[in-house]
Amino acid sequence: MTPGAILTINAGSSSIKFSIYSAGEEPVERVRGEVEDIGDDAILEIGDHGGEKRRIGIGRVSHEAALTAILDHADDFLDGQAVTGIGHRVVHGGVDFARPVRLDDATIARLVELEPLAPLHQPHNLAAVRAARRAFPDAVQIACFDTAFHRAHPWVNDTFALPREWYDRGVRRYGFHGLSYEYVSGEIARIAPELQHGRVVIAHLGNGASMCAVRDGRSVASTMGFTALDGLPMGTRCGQLDPGVLLYMMDHEKMTSDQITDLLYRKSGLKGLSGMTNDMRELEASDRPEAAEAIDYFVFRIRRELGAMAASQGGIDALVFCGGIGENSALVRRKVCEGMEWLGIAIDETANAENALELATGKTRVMVIRTDEERVIARAVNAALNG
Ligand code: ADP
Protein backbone atom coordinates (compact mmCIF):
# COMPACT_ATOMS: atom_id res chain seq x y z
CA MET A 1 0.00 0.00 0.00
CA THR A 2 1.30 3.54 -0.82
CA PRO A 3 1.93 5.34 2.45
CA GLY A 4 -0.17 8.44 2.94
CA ALA A 5 1.00 12.04 2.90
CA ILE A 6 1.32 14.34 5.89
CA LEU A 7 0.46 18.03 5.59
CA THR A 8 1.90 20.44 8.15
CA ILE A 9 0.24 23.81 8.62
CA ASN A 10 1.54 26.95 10.29
CA ALA A 11 -1.21 29.53 9.89
CA GLY A 12 -1.09 33.26 10.55
CA SER A 13 -3.73 35.92 9.98
CA SER A 14 -3.07 36.18 6.23
CA SER A 15 -0.61 33.40 5.52
CA ILE A 16 -0.24 29.62 5.69
CA LYS A 17 3.22 28.07 5.68
CA PHE A 18 2.98 24.40 4.79
CA SER A 19 4.96 21.34 3.93
CA ILE A 20 4.01 17.88 2.75
CA TYR A 21 5.83 14.69 3.68
CA SER A 22 5.41 11.06 2.73
CA ALA A 23 4.63 9.06 5.84
CA GLY A 24 6.92 6.17 6.67
CA GLU A 25 9.51 5.19 9.23
CA GLU A 26 10.86 8.78 9.08
CA PRO A 27 8.78 11.32 7.12
CA VAL A 28 10.28 12.28 3.74
CA GLU A 29 9.79 15.89 2.70
CA ARG A 30 8.15 16.33 -0.72
CA VAL A 31 6.83 19.85 -0.87
CA ARG A 32 7.27 23.12 0.96
CA GLY A 33 5.59 26.44 0.41
CA GLU A 34 3.49 29.31 1.62
CA VAL A 35 0.25 31.04 0.77
CA GLU A 36 0.56 34.80 1.30
CA ASP A 37 -2.08 37.54 1.33
CA ILE A 38 -5.05 35.32 2.18
CA GLY A 39 -8.20 37.45 2.10
CA ASP A 40 -6.68 39.61 -0.64
CA ASP A 41 -5.15 38.49 -3.97
CA ALA A 42 -3.42 35.43 -2.54
CA ILE A 43 -0.19 34.00 -3.93
CA LEU A 44 0.74 30.33 -3.54
CA GLU A 45 4.47 29.63 -3.52
CA ILE A 46 5.23 25.95 -3.86
CA GLY A 47 8.18 23.75 -4.75
CA ASP A 48 9.83 20.48 -3.95
CA HIS A 49 12.40 20.11 -1.21
CA GLY A 50 15.24 22.56 -1.85
CA GLY A 51 14.06 23.23 -5.44
CA GLU A 52 12.87 26.32 -7.30
CA LYS A 53 9.53 27.62 -6.07
CA ARG A 54 6.60 28.34 -8.42
CA ARG A 55 4.47 31.43 -7.66
CA ILE A 56 0.81 31.06 -8.57
CA GLY A 57 -1.99 33.60 -8.11
CA ILE A 58 -4.99 31.86 -6.49
CA GLY A 59 -7.29 34.88 -6.16
CA ARG A 60 -9.26 36.07 -3.16
CA VAL A 61 -9.47 32.93 -1.00
CA SER A 62 -10.38 31.99 2.57
CA HIS A 63 -8.05 29.83 4.69
CA GLU A 64 -10.13 26.81 3.75
CA ALA A 65 -9.97 27.53 0.00
CA ALA A 66 -6.24 28.17 0.35
CA LEU A 67 -5.80 24.68 1.84
CA THR A 68 -7.68 23.13 -1.06
CA ALA A 69 -5.52 25.13 -3.52
CA ILE A 70 -2.38 23.86 -1.79
CA LEU A 71 -3.52 20.28 -2.25
CA ASP A 72 -4.54 20.82 -5.88
CA HIS A 73 -1.11 22.19 -6.74
CA ALA A 74 0.75 19.70 -4.55
CA ASP A 75 -0.69 16.79 -6.55
CA ASP A 76 2.20 17.06 -9.04
CA PHE A 77 4.67 16.20 -6.28
CA LEU A 78 2.72 13.47 -4.51
CA ASP A 79 2.55 10.52 -6.93
CA GLY A 80 -1.10 9.97 -6.09
CA GLN A 81 -0.61 9.87 -2.31
CA ALA A 82 -3.62 11.08 -0.36
CA VAL A 83 -3.28 13.28 2.72
CA THR A 84 -4.01 11.02 5.68
CA GLY A 85 -2.56 13.16 8.47
CA ILE A 86 -2.42 16.89 9.18
CA GLY A 87 -0.23 18.54 11.80
CA HIS A 88 -0.95 22.04 13.03
CA ARG A 89 1.46 24.39 14.71
CA VAL A 90 -0.48 25.82 17.63
CA VAL A 91 1.37 28.44 19.58
CA HIS A 92 -0.20 27.90 23.01
CA GLY A 93 -0.87 24.62 24.75
CA GLY A 94 -1.28 26.20 28.19
CA VAL A 95 -0.46 24.24 31.32
CA ASP A 96 -1.93 20.94 30.24
CA PHE A 97 -0.51 20.11 26.84
CA ALA A 98 3.07 18.92 27.20
CA ARG A 99 3.01 16.86 24.00
CA PRO A 100 1.18 16.76 20.66
CA VAL A 101 -2.52 15.97 20.89
CA ARG A 102 -5.20 14.67 18.54
CA LEU A 103 -7.68 17.41 17.66
CA ASP A 104 -11.30 16.73 18.49
CA ASP A 105 -14.11 19.10 19.47
CA ALA A 106 -13.29 18.97 23.19
CA THR A 107 -9.57 19.66 22.64
CA ILE A 108 -10.31 22.54 20.31
CA ALA A 109 -12.65 24.04 22.90
CA ARG A 110 -9.82 23.95 25.48
CA LEU A 111 -7.44 25.58 23.02
CA VAL A 112 -9.96 28.34 22.31
CA GLU A 113 -9.85 29.18 26.03
CA LEU A 114 -6.12 29.95 25.61
CA GLU A 115 -6.72 32.56 22.89
CA PRO A 116 -6.35 35.51 25.30
CA LEU A 117 -2.82 34.26 26.11
CA ALA A 118 -1.71 34.49 22.48
CA PRO A 119 -4.21 36.81 20.81
CA LEU A 120 -2.14 37.43 17.69
CA HIS A 121 -1.44 33.77 16.91
CA GLN A 122 -3.83 31.31 18.57
CA PRO A 123 -7.08 32.43 16.85
CA HIS A 124 -5.46 32.07 13.41
CA ASN A 125 -3.95 28.69 14.30
CA LEU A 126 -7.38 27.47 15.35
CA ALA A 127 -9.14 28.97 12.32
CA ALA A 128 -6.84 26.83 10.17
CA VAL A 129 -7.63 23.78 12.31
CA ARG A 130 -11.34 24.27 11.66
CA ALA A 131 -10.75 24.86 7.94
CA ALA A 132 -8.59 21.74 7.68
CA ARG A 133 -11.14 19.60 9.49
CA ARG A 134 -13.80 20.74 7.01
CA ALA A 135 -11.53 20.26 4.00
CA PHE A 136 -10.12 16.87 5.14
CA PRO A 137 -12.73 15.26 7.41
CA ASP A 138 -11.11 11.83 7.20
CA ALA A 139 -7.52 12.85 8.00
CA VAL A 140 -5.96 12.45 11.45
CA GLN A 141 -5.41 15.99 12.82
CA ILE A 142 -2.74 16.70 15.41
CA ALA A 143 -1.81 19.91 17.25
CA CYS A 144 1.85 20.56 18.12
CA PHE A 145 2.57 23.32 20.62
CA ASP A 146 5.33 25.90 20.91
CA THR A 147 4.92 25.83 24.68
CA ALA A 148 5.07 22.04 25.17
CA PHE A 149 8.87 21.68 25.26
CA HIS A 150 9.05 24.03 28.26
CA ARG A 151 6.53 22.31 30.46
CA ALA A 152 9.38 20.59 32.30
CA HIS A 153 10.70 24.00 33.47
CA PRO A 154 11.61 24.01 37.14
CA TRP A 155 9.09 26.04 39.15
CA VAL A 156 11.38 29.07 39.58
CA ASN A 157 11.50 29.43 35.80
CA ASP A 158 7.79 28.85 35.48
CA THR A 159 6.54 31.60 37.75
CA PHE A 160 6.45 35.36 38.32
CA ALA A 161 6.70 36.85 41.81
CA LEU A 162 3.00 37.69 41.89
CA PRO A 163 0.59 36.53 44.58
CA ARG A 164 0.28 32.76 44.22
CA GLU A 165 -3.29 32.79 42.99
CA TRP A 166 -2.08 34.29 39.69
CA TYR A 167 0.09 31.25 39.05
CA ASP A 168 -2.92 29.02 39.66
CA ARG A 169 -4.90 31.20 37.24
CA GLY A 170 -2.37 30.45 34.51
CA VAL A 171 -0.21 33.58 34.67
CA ARG A 172 3.08 31.73 34.21
CA ARG A 173 6.21 31.72 32.12
CA TYR A 174 5.18 29.36 29.34
CA GLY A 175 8.11 29.82 26.95
CA PHE A 176 7.77 29.49 23.16
CA HIS A 177 9.70 28.29 20.07
CA GLY A 178 9.50 24.82 21.60
CA LEU A 179 9.21 23.03 18.23
CA SER A 180 12.47 24.61 17.13
CA TYR A 181 14.20 23.69 20.41
CA GLU A 182 12.94 20.14 20.14
CA TYR A 183 14.28 19.79 16.61
CA VAL A 184 17.65 21.33 17.43
CA SER A 185 18.01 19.23 20.60
CA GLY A 186 17.36 16.13 18.49
CA GLU A 187 19.99 17.22 16.00
CA ILE A 188 22.50 17.83 18.80
CA ALA A 189 21.88 14.31 20.09
CA ARG A 190 22.42 12.96 16.57
CA ILE A 191 25.44 15.06 15.53
CA ALA A 192 27.16 15.37 18.91
CA PRO A 193 25.91 12.60 21.23
CA GLU A 194 28.55 13.61 23.79
CA LEU A 195 26.51 16.81 24.33
CA GLN A 196 23.26 14.96 24.94
CA HIS A 197 23.61 15.30 28.70
CA GLY A 198 25.56 18.56 28.51
CA ARG A 199 24.64 22.13 29.34
CA VAL A 200 23.42 23.58 26.05
CA VAL A 201 22.15 27.07 25.25
CA ILE A 202 20.14 27.40 22.04
CA ALA A 203 19.61 30.84 20.53
CA HIS A 204 16.66 30.83 18.12
CA LEU A 205 17.15 34.15 16.33
CA GLY A 206 14.58 34.83 13.63
CA ASN A 207 11.82 37.40 13.31
CA GLY A 208 10.74 35.99 16.62
CA ALA A 209 13.72 35.41 18.91
CA SER A 210 14.32 33.58 22.16
CA MET A 211 16.93 31.53 23.99
CA CYS A 212 16.66 28.31 25.91
CA ALA A 213 18.90 26.47 28.34
CA VAL A 214 18.62 22.74 27.60
CA ARG A 215 19.96 19.98 29.79
CA ASP A 216 19.40 16.28 29.09
CA GLY A 217 17.26 17.37 26.14
CA ARG A 218 14.86 19.25 28.45
CA SER A 219 14.17 22.96 28.81
CA VAL A 220 15.63 24.33 32.03
CA ALA A 221 15.05 28.05 31.40
CA SER A 222 13.95 30.23 28.52
CA THR A 223 13.71 33.92 27.79
CA MET A 224 10.09 34.06 26.70
CA GLY A 225 7.45 34.28 29.37
CA PHE A 226 3.68 34.58 29.57
CA THR A 227 3.44 35.76 25.97
CA ALA A 228 5.80 35.79 23.01
CA LEU A 229 6.75 39.39 23.88
CA ASP A 230 9.26 38.77 26.66
CA GLY A 231 13.00 38.23 26.54
CA LEU A 232 15.06 39.22 23.52
CA PRO A 233 14.08 42.11 21.27
CA MET A 234 12.68 40.73 18.00
CA GLY A 235 11.86 41.92 14.48
CA THR A 236 8.95 44.05 15.64
CA ARG A 237 8.44 42.95 19.29
CA CYS A 238 10.05 44.77 22.20
CA GLY A 239 11.34 41.91 24.34
CA GLN A 240 11.89 42.44 28.07
CA LEU A 241 10.23 45.62 29.31
CA ASP A 242 9.75 47.11 32.76
CA PRO A 243 6.01 46.61 33.45
CA GLY A 244 6.05 50.17 34.83
CA VAL A 245 6.35 51.36 31.23
CA LEU A 246 2.90 49.92 30.52
CA LEU A 247 1.41 51.68 33.55
CA TYR A 248 2.94 54.93 32.37
CA MET A 249 1.54 54.47 28.86
CA MET A 250 -1.92 53.78 30.23
CA ASP A 251 -2.08 56.35 33.03
CA HIS A 252 -0.15 59.28 31.57
CA GLU A 253 -0.28 58.76 27.83
CA LYS A 254 -3.86 57.45 28.00
CA MET A 255 -3.09 54.76 25.46
CA THR A 256 -5.66 52.04 24.94
CA SER A 257 -4.85 48.36 25.20
CA ASP A 258 -5.13 48.05 21.39
CA GLN A 259 -2.64 50.88 20.91
CA ILE A 260 -0.19 49.35 23.36
CA THR A 261 -0.58 45.92 21.76
CA ASP A 262 0.17 47.40 18.35
CA LEU A 263 3.20 49.26 19.73
CA LEU A 264 4.72 46.28 21.55
CA TYR A 265 4.02 43.58 18.94
CA ARG A 266 4.31 45.41 15.63
CA LYS A 267 6.25 48.65 16.01
CA SER A 268 9.05 47.84 18.43
CA GLY A 269 12.15 45.63 18.33
CA LEU A 270 14.63 46.03 15.48
CA LYS A 271 12.05 47.92 13.44
CA GLY A 272 11.22 50.40 16.18
CA LEU A 273 14.80 50.99 17.22
CA SER A 274 16.12 51.45 13.70
CA GLY A 275 13.10 53.40 12.51
CA MET A 276 13.62 51.45 9.27
CA THR A 277 12.99 47.74 9.08
CA ASN A 278 12.84 44.45 10.96
CA ASP A 279 14.95 42.76 8.26
CA MET A 280 18.42 42.01 9.60
CA ARG A 281 19.90 41.90 6.09
CA GLU A 282 18.80 45.47 5.45
CA LEU A 283 20.06 46.62 8.84
CA GLU A 284 23.46 45.05 8.20
CA ALA A 285 23.66 46.73 4.78
CA SER A 286 22.65 50.16 6.07
CA ASP A 287 25.16 52.86 7.03
CA ARG A 288 22.67 54.69 9.25
CA PRO A 289 23.71 54.88 12.92
CA GLU A 290 20.21 53.84 14.03
CA ALA A 291 20.59 50.54 12.12
CA ALA A 292 23.89 49.83 13.88
CA GLU A 293 22.36 50.73 17.25
CA ALA A 294 19.42 48.38 16.68
CA ILE A 295 21.88 45.53 15.98
CA ASP A 296 23.95 46.54 19.03
CA TYR A 297 20.90 46.38 21.30
CA PHE A 298 19.86 42.99 19.85
CA VAL A 299 23.36 41.61 20.44
CA PHE A 300 23.63 43.16 23.92
CA ARG A 301 20.44 41.44 25.05
CA ILE A 302 21.52 38.09 23.58
CA ARG A 303 24.84 38.35 25.46
CA ARG A 304 23.06 39.23 28.72
CA GLU A 305 20.75 36.25 28.36
CA LEU A 306 23.65 34.01 27.41
CA GLY A 307 25.18 34.76 30.80
CA ALA A 308 21.84 34.15 32.49
CA MET A 309 21.22 30.86 30.64
CA ALA A 310 24.73 29.63 31.49
CA ALA A 311 24.23 30.59 35.14
CA SER A 312 20.85 28.81 35.27
CA GLN A 313 22.54 25.47 34.58
CA GLY A 314 25.92 26.00 36.21
CA GLY A 315 27.91 26.60 33.02
CA ILE A 316 27.80 25.94 29.32
CA ASP A 317 29.14 23.16 27.10
CA ALA A 318 27.61 24.32 23.83
CA LEU A 319 26.04 27.41 22.30
CA VAL A 320 23.87 26.68 19.25
CA PHE A 321 22.55 29.29 16.83
CA CYS A 322 19.42 28.75 14.74
CA GLY A 323 16.62 30.75 13.06
CA GLY A 324 17.01 33.05 10.04
CA ILE A 325 19.49 35.37 11.79
CA GLY A 326 21.23 32.69 13.85
CA GLU A 327 21.79 30.51 10.78
CA ASN A 328 22.83 33.26 8.36
CA SER A 329 24.21 36.33 10.09
CA ALA A 330 27.96 35.96 10.61
CA LEU A 331 27.96 39.52 11.97
CA VAL A 332 25.48 38.82 14.76
CA ARG A 333 27.21 35.55 15.73
CA ARG A 334 30.62 37.26 15.80
CA LYS A 335 29.33 40.14 17.94
CA VAL A 336 27.59 37.75 20.33
CA CYS A 337 30.76 35.67 20.78
CA GLU A 338 33.25 38.56 21.05
CA GLY A 339 34.89 38.76 24.46
CA MET A 340 33.06 35.62 25.68
CA GLU A 341 36.25 33.67 26.46
CA TRP A 342 35.21 33.74 30.13
CA LEU A 343 32.47 31.27 29.10
CA GLY A 344 34.96 29.28 27.01
CA ILE A 345 33.42 30.76 23.85
CA ALA A 346 35.66 31.72 20.93
CA ILE A 347 34.98 31.19 17.23
CA ASP A 348 36.87 30.74 13.99
CA GLU A 349 36.19 33.67 11.65
CA THR A 350 36.35 31.67 8.43
CA ALA A 351 34.01 28.97 9.70
CA ASN A 352 31.69 31.71 10.95
CA ALA A 353 31.69 33.50 7.58
CA GLU A 354 30.72 30.18 5.94
CA ASN A 355 27.83 29.46 8.39
CA ALA A 356 29.65 26.21 9.16
CA LEU A 357 28.24 23.64 11.56
CA GLU A 358 31.13 23.98 14.03
CA LEU A 359 32.60 27.39 14.86
CA ALA A 360 34.43 26.91 18.14
CA THR A 361 38.11 27.42 18.79
CA GLY A 362 37.56 27.48 22.57
CA LYS A 363 36.43 24.74 24.94
CA THR A 364 32.71 25.49 24.56
CA ARG A 365 31.21 24.08 21.35
CA VAL A 366 29.61 26.73 19.15
CA MET A 367 27.36 25.38 16.42
CA VAL A 368 25.01 26.53 13.67
CA ILE A 369 22.08 24.15 13.16
CA ARG A 370 19.31 24.79 10.63
CA THR A 371 16.08 24.42 12.51
CA ASP A 372 13.09 22.60 11.04
CA GLU A 373 9.89 23.01 13.01
CA GLU A 374 7.84 21.43 10.22
CA ARG A 375 9.73 18.16 10.57
CA VAL A 376 8.92 18.01 14.29
CA ILE A 377 5.24 18.38 13.42
CA ALA A 378 5.47 15.81 10.61
CA ARG A 379 7.11 13.33 13.01
CA ALA A 380 4.30 13.78 15.53
CA VAL A 381 1.68 13.08 12.84
CA ASN A 382 3.71 10.17 11.51
CA ALA A 383 3.81 8.66 15.00
CA ALA A 384 0.02 9.06 15.31
CA LEU A 385 -0.53 7.44 11.89
CA ASN A 386 1.71 4.56 12.90
CA GLY A 387 -0.36 4.11 16.04
P1 ADP B 1 10.52 33.79 11.25
O1 ADP B 1 10.68 33.99 12.72
O2 ADP B 1 9.50 34.70 10.63
O3 ADP B 1 10.44 32.34 10.80
P2 ADP B 1 13.17 33.66 10.11
O4 ADP B 1 13.66 32.60 11.03
O5 ADP B 1 13.00 33.33 8.67
O6 ADP B 1 11.88 34.37 10.63
O7 ADP B 1 14.22 34.86 10.22
C1 ADP B 1 14.03 36.07 9.53
C2 ADP B 1 15.22 36.97 9.84
O8 ADP B 1 16.43 36.33 9.35
C3 ADP B 1 15.13 38.32 9.14
O9 ADP B 1 15.54 39.35 10.04
C4 ADP B 1 16.15 38.18 8.04
O10 ADP B 1 16.70 39.42 7.69
C5 ADP B 1 17.20 37.31 8.71
N1 ADP B 1 18.12 36.74 7.71
C6 ADP B 1 17.83 35.84 6.74
N2 ADP B 1 18.93 35.65 5.96
C7 ADP B 1 19.91 36.44 6.46
C8 ADP B 1 21.27 36.71 6.11
N3 ADP B 1 21.85 36.10 5.07
N4 ADP B 1 21.97 37.59 6.87
C9 ADP B 1 21.40 38.21 7.91
N5 ADP B 1 20.13 38.01 8.30
C10 ADP B 1 19.38 37.15 7.59
Side-chain angles (χ1 to χ4, degrees):
M1 195 180 82
T2 332
I6 295 167
L7 171 65
T8 73
I9 296 176
N10 178 359
S13 57
S14 62
S15 72
I16 297 178
K17 289 185 186 156
F18 64 90
S19 54
I20 302 179
Y21 294 75
S22 293
E25 204 168 312
E26 167 73 13
V28 178
E29 185 176 321
R30 296 300 192 94
V31 184
R32 203 170 268 233
E34 181 166 1
V35 181
E36 294 162 10
D37 299 329
I38 293 173
D40 204 344
D41 276 332
I43 301 285
L44 166 66
E45 203 179 75
I46 185 166
D48 54 5
H49 182 46
E52 282 273 299
K53 297 267 187 285
R54 282 186 228 155
R55 283 175 68 81
I56 306 155
I58 55 171
R60 198 172 277 269
V61 290
S62 62
H63 277 77
E64 192 171 344
L67 286 175
T68 314
I70 290 170
L71 260 288
D72 287 346
H73 290 277
D75 257 359
D76 300 353
F77 304 88
L78 288 180
D79 306 330
Q81 285 183 347
V83 170
T84 49
I86 303 185
H88 297 267
R89 180 176 184 173
V90 176
V91 70
H92 220 303
V95 176
D96 297 331
F97 295 111
R99 54 186 55 82
V101 65
R102 218 175 250 247
L103 285 158
D104 54 24
D105 291 340
T107 307
I108 294 171
R110 284 169 71 192
L111 296 176
V112 167
E113 286 171 15
L114 298 171
E115 285 185 351
L117 304 189
L120 300 195
H121 295 98
Q122 192 90 341
H124 304 303
N125 301 157
L126 296 180
V129 167
R130 291 188 198 96
R133 288 181 92 208
R134 282 192 298 268
F136 307 98
D138 299 326
V140 169
Q141 311 244 359
I142 304 284
C144 298
F145 304 100
D146 273 308
T147 49
F149 186 71
H150 304 290
R151 291 289 45 80
H153 267 173
W155 181 79
V156 284
N157 277 315
D158 208 40
T159 193
F160 300 105
L162 292 169
R164 267 202 120 90
E165 74 220 44
W166 287 95
Y167 182 82
D168 299 335
R169 287 161 69 174
V171 178
R172 303 182 186 196
R173 300 182 54 87
Y174 290 99
F176 296 88
H177 286 138
L179 299 172
S180 176
Y181 294 130
E182 185 176 334
Y183 178 79
V184 171
S185 300
E187 284 298 281
I188 294 168
R190 190 178 65 81
I191 301 165
E194 65 282 8
L195 285 174
Q196 213 174 338
H197 303 293
R199 298 159 299 179
V200 177
V201 176
I202 306 175
H204 176 106
L205 310 176
N207 249 326
S210 71
M211 291 167 75
C212 184
V214 179
R215 187 147 200 187
D216 290 329
R218 291 158 72 122
S219 170
V220 175
S222 64
T223 59
M224 273 187 179
F226 179 59
T227 66
L229 271 183
D230 201 5
L232 303 178
M234 303 173 222
T236 61
R237 287 174 251 163
C238 57
Q240 192 272 330
L241 191 70
D242 174 350
V245 173
L246 303 185
L247 300 176
Y248 176 83
M249 286 174 172
M250 288 187 303
D251 293 344
H252 290 273
E253 299 293 325
K254 306 295 178 208
M255 286 173 73
T256 64
S257 124
D258 283 350
Q259 288 170 325
I260 296 175
T261 299
D262 190 45
L263 183 76
L264 304 187
Y265 277 94
R266 300 193 188 91
K267 297 197 170 130
S268 298
L270 293 172
K271 186 173 183 185
L273 279 176
S274 67
M276 291 168 55
T277 175
N278 57 316
D279 191 318
M280 182 56 79
R281 282 164 296 201
E282 288 178 36
L283 293 175
E284 288 186 11
S286 168
D287 52 14
R288 287 178 50 183
E290 295 87 349
E293 279 175 2
I295 297 175
D296 283 349
Y297 181 75
F298 184 62
V299 166
F300 166 69
R301 298 302 308 205
I302 297 167
R303 289 164 62 88
R304 245 179 86 137
E305 293 296 340
L306 181 54
M309 293 286 130
S312 71
Q313 49 184 348
I316 178 169
D317 300 305
L319 167 63
V320 182
F321 290 98
C322 66
I325 298 171
E327 292 161 20
N328 299 300
S329 173
L331 177 80
V332 168
R333 289 192 304 258
R334 176 168 59 73
K335 282 174 169 280
V336 167
C337 294
E338 254 165 20
M340 280 285 174
E341 289 81 6
W342 63 281
L343 277 181
I345 292 173
I347 60 172
D348 180 74
E349 266 184 40
T350 310
N352 187 40
E354 290 168 353
N355 302 323
L357 171 66
E358 302 269 4
L359 309 183
T361 55
K363 75 171 173 48
T364 300
R365 294 277 281 275
V366 182
M367 303 169 85
V368 179
I369 295 182
R370 291 199 178 271
T371 195
D372 192 350
E373 290 144 309
E374 278 69 25
R375 180 162 291 277
V376 175
I377 298 171
R379 283 178 181 155
V381 179
N382 199 44
L385 290 175
N386 292 336

